[in-house]
Amino acid sequence: MKNYILEFENYLIVKGLSQNTIKQYKPIIGKFLLKHPEPLTATNAEIISFLIKRGQARTVQQSHGALNHFFLGVLDSHAISKVPQPTASEFVPDILSEIEVHQVISTITNLKHEAIIQLIYSCALRIGECINLKVTDIDKIKNRIKIKNGKGGKDAYIPIPEATKNLLRVYYKKYRPEVYLFEGQNSPKYTTSSIRQILKRAIKKANITKNIRVHDLRHSRATHWLENGMDIKFIQKILRHKKPETTDRYLHLTTLSLENAMFSADKNIQLKFKKPATSQFLNAG
């Protein structure tokens, strides 16, 4: 079993998957091997049974992905191709308004905590990308941060808004981090659970009843960009989505943003309708 796990991890590294994905996939294969120590003897029915017991649709889909890599990359078997790919139900996240984001950040009195939450929101970062940022990943000259080995194993550069850049400057002068930008009290870097607690307390203090996760700050930022007129192609680039459909799926246009888009388009088109006479209009019908 240990050999299988090691081979699996090495395969995923060579494949170029992110450390976060590898961390999620390894336990799945570990649980599968506990049930089937000789995985090549597992039948389609047994594989399907394992997937069904994984729980919700998204978890089943993730497990299918892990098994797909394991069977093809480690076992050199196409058995998994006969198992249908599950379709995850559409997840609609809660979105904070721009005012609510300001309210949440305003409740945070700890400078480091404020810098973490504001950076995640303003640069639309994933929580793992934030905690793995190093001091050397901040480009002070070009005002951008480098995301190393992000989702999909690719590097990316994200511009830093002026207000966030100034906050990070104040934070750095006070805390002087040496390796990771956000160091933990008893660990080299901050933990995901600590960041979740920071946001949870801030949400409660701001009297917001929405079910907001840290990742919803990213959703909120993308939605605000869209509502304020940013081209969705630029949003896709910043969010580092391979397919435009991924961006479209969770950027939920509000009625206001649709009205604004229509109003702007009509101004550009400069439609000229013939205005009816007042008497004709009043007497119509």
Side-chain angles (χ1 to χ4, degrees):
M1 178 175 166
K2 289 183 179 180
N3 288 337
Y4 276 133
I5 294 296
L6 180 59
E7 288 180 40
F8 181 58
E9 182 176 12
N10 289 338
Y11 169 77
L12 296 180
I13 292 172
V14 173
K15 187 77 175 175
L17 272 67
S18 69
Q19 285 299 319
N20 188 50
T21 301
I22 295 173
K23 186 177 179 180
Q24 292 173 340
Y25 277 3
K26 282 173 61 179
I28 295 172
I29 300 306
K31 291 177 181 179
F32 180 77
L33 290 172
L34 284 175
K35 293 283 185 180
H36 307 285
E38 297 296 332
L40 285 172
T41 64
T43 65
N44 285 348
E46 288 172 332
I47 296 174
I48 292 173
S49 176
F50 172 79
L51 289 172
I52 291 174
K53 292 176 181 178
R54 294 293 295 160
Q56 297 181 352
R58 285 185 175 273
T59 305
V60 174
Q61 191 177 52
Q62 183 187 59
S63 300
H64 189 283
L67 287 172
N68 184 61
H69 281 295
F70 179 65
F71 272 85
L72 291 176
V74 178
L75 303 179
D76 194 24
S77 168
H78 292 273
I80 192 69
S81 63
K82 299 177 182 178
V83 177
Q85 170 72 30
T87 301
S89 57
E90 187 67 21
F91 172 71
V92 180
D94 276 329
I95 299 294
L96 291 172
S97 67
E98 292 182 74
I99 293 176
E100 287 173 329
V101 171
H102 177 73
Q103 290 172 337
V104 169
I105 295 177
S106 296
T107 67
I108 304 173
T109 56
N110 181 286
L111 179 59
K112 181 186 286 187
H113 296 176
E114 181 185 3
I116 289 172
I117 297 303
Q118 184 164 319
L119 180 63
I120 289 175
Y121 167 74
S122 63
C123 293
L125 299 182
R126 299 178 176 93
I127 190 170
E129 294 169 345
C130 179
I131 63 175
N132 286 312
L133 275 176
K134 294 183 177 180
V135 175
T136 52
D137 294 330
I138 308 297
D139 189 331
K140 299 176 182 178
I141 299 176
K142 296 184 178 180
N143 295 326
R144 63 185 187 179
I145 57 177
K146 183 177 182 180
I147 305 298
K148 296 179 180 177
N149 195 32
K151 191 172 182 179
K154 294 184 178 180
D155 295 346
Y157 291 95
I158 308 297
I160 308 174
E162 188 71 18
T164 303
K165 180 189 71 175
N166 292 336
L167 177 61
L168 288 177
R169 183 182 292 116
V170 174
Y171 158 75
Y172 180 80
K173 287 181 179 179
K174 179 178 179 179
Y175 285 89
R176 296 291 179 180
E178 296 181 359
V179 181
Y180 288 97
L181 183 61
F182 300 113
E183 298 172 337
Q185 289 184 341
N186 301 308
S187 59
K189 56 185 177 180
Y190 234 69
T191 63
T192 56
S193 59
S194 296
I195 294 178
R196 292 190 183 104
Q197 286 302 313
I198 293 169
L199 182 62
K200 184 179 180 179
R201 288 194 297 266
I203 290 290
K204 184 178 181 180
K205 198 172 180 179
N207 294 318
I208 293 173
T209 57
K210 295 177 180 177
N211 184 26
I212 299 296
R213 310 162 304 157
V214 175
H215 200 69
D216 293 328
L217 295 175
R218 175 177 162 90
H219 293 313
S220 299
R221 180 61 160 161
T223 303
H224 300 159
W225 278 329
L226 188 64
E227 290 179 340
N228 285 284
M230 182 184 286
D231 192 302
I232 198 167
K233 291 182 179 179
F234 292 129
I235 297 174
Q236 179 189 346
K237 182 75 173 178
I238 296 174
L239 298 180
R240 287 147 283 137
H241 288 159
K242 292 181 179 179
K243 300 179 181 179
E245 293 82 4
T246 307
T247 311
D248 294 337
R249 187 167 61 241
Y250 68 80
L251 295 184
H252 303 284
L253 284 168
T254 63
T255 302
L256 177 61
S257 62
L258 285 172
E259 290 174 352
N260 289 338
M262 184 181 291
F263 179 73
S264 298
D266 284 349
K267 281 200 307 183
N268 293 331
I269 296 172
Q270 295 182 339
L271 293 175
K272 294 182 179 180
F273 294 107
K274 184 178 180 181
K275 188 176 181 180
T278 306
S279 58
Q280 292 176 329
F281 179 73
L282 293 176
N283 295 328

